[in-house]
Amino acid sequence: MTVKDYETKVTPNWCPGCGNFGLWQALKQTLVDLRADPGETVLVAGIGCHGHMNNFTKISSFEGLHGRPIPIAVGIKLANHRLQVIVSTGDGDCLGEGGNHFVHACRRNHDLVVLIHNNSSYSLTTGQASPTSSLGYQSKSTPEGKKVEALDPALLALASGATFVSRGFSGDVPHLQEILKAAIKHRGLAVVEVLQPCVVFNKDQTFDYYRQRIKKLARPYLKRGGAIRACLAKNGRIPIGIFYQQKKPSFESRLDQIRKKPLVRQSLRNFDWDKLTGEFY
Amino acid sequence: MKNSFHFKIGGQAGEGIMSSGQIFTKFAARSGYWTFDFVEYPSLVRGGHNTFYATVSAEEVFCTGNHVDLLIALNQETVTLHRDELNPGAGVIFDPDSFQPESIRGVKFWPVPLLKLAQTAGHRLMANTVALGAVAYLTGGNLKILKSVLTDVFASKKKEIIAGNHRAAELGYEFAKSKFLPLGDFLGAKKSLPRMLIGGNEAIALGSIAAGVKLASIYPMTPISSILHFLARFEKEAGIIYFQPEDEIAGISSAIGAAFAGVRSLVATSGGGFALMSESLSLAGITETPLVVIFGQRAGPATGIPTWTAQEDLLYALTAAQGEYPRILLAPGDAEECFYLTAEAFNLAETYQTPVVVLVDKFICEAHRTIPRLAFGRVDIKRGKMALSSFSPAANKKSEREIFPRYRLADDGISRRGFPREGRIVKVNSDEHNEFGLSEESIKNRNDQLEKRMKKTAGLSQLIPAPSLYGPAQAEVTLVGWGSTKGPILEAIKELKANFLYLNWLRPFPAQSVSRILAKAKKTLLIENNYQGQLGQWLKMQTGIEIKNKLLKYDGRQFYPEEIVKKIRSII
């Protein structure tokens, strides 16, 4: 398989120079490296610029509603945990509209990858402030500059209990690819926040802005305390890399009902009717 | 409600009212009687007045009336609140060490030292069992049957607890026998076919299991919580996963994801949760994902009176969510219908690849009644058009030939469903999409896909069963109703020249048969548990017929047959 084998015939409709291209390239290359079966790999997206990726990527996919890709992915995984399920979401989708789902999916440690396309902007709706845009960010919704501090997705993921937490940069595809590969192989909830500049609306977090500030972390921490310190920006430097990775049973691995085979392969009538109805006589 | 026996137990929440009541009805059911019971309670964990009400008869019973033959009063408040319901000749069991009720003309008072006898039996918590022992004697019941019920109800408890409860029942029985005359022979053991004593919620859970549900993702909410309690308790015996989501939006989203991956999935909620779910209903509509949503109504708006019953959400449930997509709504009226219509909902959802709403209410969900044995063998499983195993990517010569054509145009609008798996790429999309599930906004594609979806249920209204007309074909008045009013209406028309047009398939609406039946009616009367007469409005939209006489009730309480009888008499 080559990168082309994971592309549909739809021409990407992202703006020229969009940070999503680097992210997409890293994703396809990772699928090639892992020889992922395109039918068994499912991309679940919400709504935002990130969601368009479903149309360009030739793997199974579900493009749902704004803010809701995570719970859809949870359902897919519960029905068939043999599928490799990758959530593709944005900063507004994941942390604004869908913040509750993100926190609880991390806490439950579902066996999913959550890929956050973070451009710190609601770009599809013309660039309003997002939860991750920085203090002072000017936009149509914040003409005087944003008056709220930015949310740090990696920090939230760590606090919520995700067992793999990382940050990559779409301007460094090989590094992002390494992170993605490790995230897909991880058994449990793997968060990959991708810094991917919006070249149209976000004049604060540009490619140059990130290139001047990012700093690669050598190796993941095994304890959350260290990981939390490591993911925070310090002295103007923005750390990227895998902050935290820990082995813990995933939600799905704790379910006896699907230990032998996924729900989707089980008979519709593998029940014990007498036991189910005994108490009604 | 002739030849029936009416039982009530009341006291503070937390005093075991519900469990004692259920022991009573199980005792009656095992003694060979038909029963109907329900509980009234405020939205509190402890404190507040709770009552459990049961009607028992040698004939089938559909509801309870608002009168009582035997009352167990665990406090003075119970006597005060329910004194007007006591029939002439009724009796009240109370504990003289707890309170001394004032006498009521024509009512017997039976002082039974419940606490003292419970302590003799082993524990004060067995006081209600002492009372039930006394009830067994006063109603001509068989103590052995009561003890068999206690054995089963406390089966998971320690042996001492079962033995203690047996002793408590014996002490209550013997005490009553030594002091009082029986009230009558209401519960003498009779031979009968075995019947199930079951609530609407449990019947919905069993109907889902019989239909092969695999994932239930349900956020707790009154009045549907006992659906999830049952499914969670029997996950392994049922071969399912019960998943507790963080909110209703997550619940329906996960159910949709699971259905996309190939299993039958279920959600259940009440009005507030349904509001949160409605955007996703529309997602199931455009992605053509099968889904069953149980909607248990309670009295709103907003939180309203959350533990009481209502039929306020019919118009909402029929039309909720943005955009146009084929909608199906079924409304069972009792526990037996809860089982069969829920199971049918799964077939409809998969056949037409669209969400199906099953609309019930608190009075159906939490009332229990005896019904003929529910048989999963009577439930057919129809999964609709599925991907052919012969499908191979190369067979499809269009541009995206490796993608499964999930939304291929078809004469009946129904495309084949395929689930993602090795070698099969399946793409679904909440954006308008082409046959491969890829976003496309062209005029032709939009029209093709929207018309394809809307066509799916075009023939369904011809296939649905004609509505039932209960009672005589010729009647002075024809009652029209749906849902939980079915029981009180059936009870009410037993002795009157009235019949009852009962509707449980509400969308698509059986407009032709309804028009035919109503054209023959001399007079019509609409009965609903809401303010606006919502079925009346829907029926008028569908048939042009307006039902002018209305009996509407929106105080959170279900109808009693007496109220309906009175209204019918005023019309005839």
Side-chain angles (χ1 to χ4, degrees):
Chain A
M1 300 277 275
T2 66
V3 162
K4 284 272 164 224
D5 294 318
Y6 291 102
E7 293 174 5
T8 64
K9 293 182 171 56
V10 179
T11 311
N13 56 357
W14 288 317
C15 308
C18 174
N20 274 314
F21 282 105
L23 187 158
W24 188 41
Q25 184 60 29
L27 176 66
K28 286 180 293 185
Q29 193 57 58
T30 307
L31 297 176
V32 173
D33 292 351
L34 295 172
R35 297 180 189 182
D37 180 273
E40 275 188 322
T41 311
V42 188
L43 191 61
V44 186
I47 299 297
C49 294
H50 73 270
H52 299 319
M53 198 164 77
N54 284 25
N55 290 310
F56 326 141
T57 315
K58 202 166 66 187
I59 59 178
S60 288
S61 67
F62 196 128
E63 184 167 350
L65 297 173
H66 187 50
R68 318 299 169 204
I70 290 175
I72 290 175
V74 166
I76 295 172
K77 199 74 191 178
L78 289 173
N80 187 356
H81 58 281
R82 302 250 168 96
L83 298 172
Q84 177 65 57
V85 183
I86 301 169
V87 174
S88 161
T89 177
D91 42 317
D93 195 72
C94 182
L95 305 164
E97 191 86 18
N100 194 27
H101 309 311
F102 180 68
V103 168
H104 290 281
C106 289
R107 172 174 71 84
R108 288 190 296 251
N109 197 31
H110 292 287
D111 187 15
L112 298 171
V113 175
V114 178
L115 187 53
I116 309 172
H117 303 227
N118 184 7
N119 60 4
S120 303
S121 164
Y122 280 88
S123 294
L124 192 62
T125 52
T126 67
Q128 299 86 346
S130 99
T132 60
S133 23
S134 45
L135 188 68
Y137 173 82
Q138 275 196 328
S139 73
K140 289 174 186 168
S141 69
T142 50
E144 294 182 353
K146 195 179 164 211
K147 292 172 182 166
V148 188
E149 296 275 355
L151 181 90
D152 183 335
L155 188 61
L156 179 59
L158 283 165
S160 306
T163 49
F164 180 107
V165 180
S166 64
R167 183 185 293 140
F169 173 45
S170 73
D172 187 346
V173 172
H175 179 252
L176 179 56
Q177 219 174 291
E178 288 308 307
I179 295 176
L180 274 176
K181 203 192 238 177
I184 291 176
K185 285 184 173 168
H186 178 72
R187 299 273 72 91
L189 196 114
V191 174
V192 184
E193 179 202 354
V194 183
L195 305 170
Q196 57 96 5
C198 170
V199 295
V200 175
F201 294 107
N202 192 333
K203 306 299 179 202
D204 292 354
Q205 280 101 347
T206 61
F207 275 103
D208 280 347
Y209 171 91
Y210 284 127
R211 282 209 178 93
Q212 287 158 14
R213 287 170 176 78
I214 55 172
K215 187 183 137 205
K216 283 182 196 165
L217 191 75
R219 71 184 74 81
Y221 285 81
L222 297 172
K223 293 200 169 156
R224 275 209 289 187
I228 286 172
R229 275 188 295 278
C231 82
L232 298 171
K234 227 179 297 173
N235 306 325
R237 307 288 281 177
I238 301 167
I240 61 170
I242 301 168
F243 303 122
Y244 180 61
Q245 184 165 16
Q246 203 198 40
K247 272 192 182 169
K248 257 192 194 173
S250 70
F251 182 87
E252 291 71 24
S253 73
R254 291 183 199 261
L255 302 174
D256 290 341
Q257 303 95 303
I258 52 174
R259 200 142 286 163
K260 286 192 188 134
K261 48 182 171 177
L263 277 186
V264 69
R265 301 245 178 96
Q266 294 182 23
S267 150
L268 262 55
R269 288 199 160 151
N270 59 341
F271 49 68
D272 184 335
W273 196 249
D274 291 340
K275 270 196 186 154
L276 290 168
T277 56
E279 66 186 63
F280 300 113
Y281 291 96
Chain B
M1 310 226 72
K2 280 181 189 164
N3 310 319
S4 318
F5 174 70
H6 305 280
F7 167 88
K8 193 169 228 172
I9 173 167
Q12 288 242 314
E15 286 186 317
I17 310 284
M18 201 178 305
S19 44
S20 307
Q22 281 166 357
I23 292 169
F24 171 80
T25 29
K26 202 177 265 283
F27 167 46
R30 276 199 197 169
S31 302
Y33 294 85
W34 296 90
T35 70
F36 186 102
D37 73 63
F38 73 99
V39 62
E40 285 182 345
Y41 58 95
S43 186
L44 292 169
V45 176
R46 268 188 185 275
H49 182 67
N50 274 20
T51 51
F52 175 95
Y53 195 167
T55 294
V56 175
S57 174
E59 296 163 25
E60 187 167 12
V61 279
F62 306 109
C63 66
T64 58
N66 55 351
H67 42 84
V68 180
D69 296 311
L70 195 159
L71 175 67
I72 300 176
L74 298 180
N75 54 19
Q76 173 62 47
E77 191 186 15
T78 303
V79 181
T80 313
L81 285 171
H82 302 288
R83 59 176 294 154
D84 294 343
E85 298 161 20
L86 292 165
N87 279 335
V92 179
I93 293 176
F94 69 100
D95 188 337
D97 301 323
S98 161
F99 69 100
Q100 194 61 51
E102 278 176 31
S103 66
I104 303 169
R105 185 190 293 263
V107 172
K108 297 185 204 60
F109 282 87
W110 294 306
V112 182
L114 302 175
L115 262 184
K116 269 189 203 149
L117 292 174
Q119 275 154 348
T120 310
H123 201 286
R124 58 197 309 275
L125 282 178
M126 295 164 186
N128 293 357
T129 309
V130 174
L132 291 173
V135 169
Y137 166 75
L138 290 163
T139 56
N142 183 326
L143 187 60
K144 263 192 204 155
I145 298 176
L146 176 59
K147 282 159 83 174
S148 80
V149 173
L150 292 167
T151 304
D152 292 349
V153 169
F154 296 108
S156 63
K157 301 273 174 20
K158 285 184 197 147
K159 274 187 183 156
E160 299 92 84
I161 294 186
I162 298 175
N165 274 286
H166 283 181
R167 185 78 193 114
E170 282 163 11
L171 289 172
Y173 189 95
E174 294 305 330
F175 182 89
K177 192 176 173 185
S178 68
K179 304 264 181 191
F180 318 123
L181 287 173
L183 189 63
D185 180 15
F186 297 108
L187 287 183
K190 285 170 16 89
K191 277 221 162 76
S192 74
L193 290 171
R195 294 179 196 123
M196 286 173 97
L197 172 58
I198 192 167
N201 278 344
E202 289 75 19
I204 287 168
L206 283 177
S208 304
I209 294 167
V213 72
K214 286 286 156 202
L215 178 75
S217 64
I218 304 174
Y219 190 83
M221 189 168 192
T222 302
I224 55 79
S225 294
S226 59
I227 298 176
L228 77 90
H229 299 164
F230 187 85
L231 294 173
R233 191 152 58 93
F234 286 113
E235 263 187 318
K236 293 188 181 131
E237 291 81 356
I240 65 159
I241 293 176
Y242 163 69
F243 175 65
Q244 182 171 340
E246 58 272 23
D247 56 31
E248 285 87 350
I249 300 175
I252 189 168
S253 301
S254 297
I256 289 171
F260 159 73
V263 303
R264 290 189 154 191
S265 59
L266 172 75
V267 295
T269 187
S270 187
F274 189 77
L276 295 178
M277 289 182 180
S278 65
E279 187 188 16
S280 299
L281 274 182
S282 181
L283 174 68
I286 192 167
T287 58
E288 307 197 38
T289 308
L291 176 69
V292 175
V293 181
I294 308 296
F295 183 162
Q297 300 163 100
R298 62 192 211 187
T303 310
I305 41 174
T307 58
W308 300 87
T309 200
Q311 297 182 306
E312 294 173 358
D313 298 324
L314 174 61
L315 292 174
Y316 173 48
L318 282 165
T319 56
Q322 74 273 32
E324 296 179 299
Y325 62 90
R327 294 157 197 261
I328 301 175
L329 186 140
L330 310 179
D334 57 42
E336 194 173 4
E337 284 185 38
C338 280
F339 178 81
Y340 291 106
L341 285 180
T342 300
E344 183 62 19
F346 283 93
N347 287 338
L348 293 167
E350 287 205 320
T351 302
Y352 299 101
Q353 304 177 15
T354 203
V356 177
V357 176
V358 178
L359 189 62
V360 283
D361 63 39
K362 191 260 176 182
F363 188 52
I364 298 175
C365 291
E366 294 191 352
H368 299 78
R369 60 184 291 185
T370 40
I371 56 171
R373 191 188 281 266
L374 295 174
F376 72 86
R378 276 181 59 197
V379 172
D380 289 330
I381 292 181
K382 297 174 212 144
R383 302 209 66 180
K385 279 198 211 170
M386 301 283 264
L388 300 173
S389 54
S390 64
F391 168 79
S392 71
N396 177 347
K397 296 217 169 56
K398 291 270 172 68
S399 55
E400 299 287 0
R401 61 188 186 85
E402 284 160 289
I403 300 172
F404 180 75
R406 173 67 186 86
Y407 302 111
R408 174 161 287 178
L409 299 179
D411 289 341
D412 58 2
I414 303 172
S415 320
R416 292 189 179 278
R417 278 194 306 146
F419 311 127
R421 64 170 201 210
E422 193 180 342
R424 187 198 281 156
I425 302 172
V426 183
K427 296 178 93 68
V428 305
N429 197 337
S430 75
D431 285 288
E432 188 58 273
H433 42 256
N434 60 25
E435 66 172 318
F436 302 106
L438 299 167
S439 302
E440 189 179 328
E441 299 189 347
S442 71
I443 294 173
K444 180 176 188 313
N445 181 68
R446 164 65 171 176
N447 287 339
D448 283 351
Q449 287 293 332
L450 191 140
E451 287 160 11
K452 178 187 105 66
R453 289 190 293 272
M454 295 310 290
K455 251 193 313 205
K456 292 191 289 184
T457 51
L460 182 57
S461 50
Q462 307 303 317
L463 297 177
I464 66 179
S468 307
L469 185 68
Y470 290 96
Q474 299 297 321
E476 292 296 313
V477 58
T478 298
L479 282 60
V480 181
W482 63 286
S484 70
T485 57
K486 180 185 179 187
I489 294 175
L490 288 179
E491 202 64 58
I493 63 168
K494 272 182 180 171
E495 293 146 38
L496 292 166
K497 284 181 181 156
N499 57 16
F500 172 37
L501 172 59
Y502 168 67
L503 295 160
N504 55 10
W505 289 65
L506 295 176
R507 189 163 185 175
F509 191 80
Q512 287 180 0
S513 10
V514 168
S515 302
R516 211 178 309 125
I517 291 168
L518 292 182
K520 285 186 205 150
K522 277 191 187 168
K523 280 180 180 162
T524 51
L525 169 63
L526 180 72
I527 300 186
E528 292 192 70
N529 258 137
N530 58 43
Y531 184 87
Q532 300 179 96
Q534 297 191 14
L535 174 69
Q537 293 186 19
W538 181 242
L539 191 146
K540 190 178 174 188
M541 247 176 101
Q542 298 290 331
T543 63
I545 299 169
E546 184 166 358
I547 302 172
K548 294 222 172 68
N549 296 307
K550 296 185 181 82
L551 177 60
L552 304 172
K553 182 175 178 180
Y554 37 84
D555 58 6
R557 278 70 177 169
Q558 72 280 5
F559 281 101
Y560 292 107
E562 296 88 336
E563 300 168 287
I564 300 170
V565 167
K566 199 173 148 201
K567 180 74 182 177
I568 296 172
R569 292 221 162 100
S570 78
I571 294 175
I572 296 179

